[in-house]
Amino acid sequence: MTHPDPSMTPRPRRADAARNVQSLLAAAKELFDEHGPDVALDDVARRAGVGNATLYRHFPTRQDLIVAVYADEVTFLCEQGAGLLESEPAAEALLIWLDSFVVHVATKRALALAGTADSAQRRTTLFDHWHTSMRSTAQKLLTRAQRGGAVDTDLTVDDMLALTNAAALAGSSADHARKLLRVQWRGFAGGDVRAFPQLPA
């Protein structure tokens, strides 16, 4: 009985596929940021260094690609929050994460809407999943900050996210939204803005 050659196992192909997916997501994120979600998919494949067939094998439709890119953004926010819980003091951890969150909402809302435009039911399901993930991260950061005395204990995670979301939507740009968040932080933390990340001039 002959034994299969380890070099002929499918693992390398799976690794190649994973690399292709990551290259496509990175290229799509860059191009969506530069040109919006209507960018030509051929340009995405070209920037990723793969063929069109590879792109469509992993992402059969534009919306599949957009949803994957947006989901990656949500994953990054949740992973960032987990890292901040371990690496930063309570107040700084919360405010750094809220700073990222307000920029995310200010700059990625159109992407999320474009990726879920085909079905109200699909939109509800995806948005519920994304919201649950980010809410869980925000709750952990808020609870830690409240236990440390940095944030008003009457503030709920839903109120905090609603106000931060409002700042993102009201701001004329991501930087403006961050400045509005700085004003909100005075209420969240009883006027102490020392923990807020440095804002651009």
Side-chain angles (χ1 to χ4, degrees):
M1 177 178 179
T2 60
H3 295 282
D5 184 343
S7 67
M8 300 300 291
T9 64
R11 286 188 179 183
R13 286 187 293 175
R14 288 201 296 269
D16 287 345
R19 283 194 294 270
N20 287 339
V21 168
Q22 290 308 309
S23 295
L24 286 164
L25 291 176
K29 180 181 183 303
E30 291 175 359
L31 287 167
F32 291 160
D33 286 347
E34 294 169 11
H35 306 291
D38 293 329
V39 67
L41 295 184
D42 288 354
D43 292 343
V44 175
R46 190 176 301 112
R47 182 168 294 192
V50 302
N52 287 358
T54 298
L55 186 154
Y56 289 112
R57 182 164 60 252
H58 294 294
F59 305 106
T61 70
R62 177 184 299 275
Q63 286 184 317
D64 290 329
L65 180 59
I66 292 172
V67 166
V69 170
Y70 187 81
D72 238 25
E73 298 278 355
V74 173
T75 297
F76 170 80
L77 273 176
C78 294
E79 290 177 347
Q80 182 194 33
L84 288 167
L85 284 168
E86 299 296 328
S87 65
E88 297 292 338
E92 285 87 338
L94 176 61
L95 266 296
I96 290 170
W97 190 83
L98 285 176
D99 188 55
S100 294
F101 177 78
V102 79
V103 171
H104 167 85
V105 176
T107 59
K108 307 300 179 185
R109 180 175 174 80
L111 189 67
L113 293 175
T116 57
D118 61 334
S119 166
Q121 182 177 359
R122 182 175 187 236
R123 173 174 292 183
T124 298
T125 299
L126 286 169
F127 270 70
D128 283 351
H129 173 71
W130 292 330
H131 178 76
T132 297
S133 298
M134 289 189 283
R135 186 184 184 281
S136 175
T137 298
Q139 181 67 75
K140 293 172 184 175
L141 290 160
L142 175 61
T143 298
R144 182 167 172 254
Q146 288 174 325
R147 287 174 178 168
V151 176
D152 189 337
T153 55
D154 289 334
L155 181 68
T156 69
V157 67
D158 290 331
D159 289 343
M160 181 182 73
L161 290 178
L163 289 167
T164 307
N165 190 71
L169 299 180
S172 57
S173 66
D175 284 344
H176 186 209
R178 295 175 74 198
K179 291 179 180 178
L180 293 177
L181 177 60
R182 186 184 182 94
V183 174
Q184 289 180 338
W185 175 245
R186 296 178 187 275
F188 293 167
D192 182 3
V193 298
R194 291 171 298 173
F196 200 87
Q198 183 65 43
L199 293 175

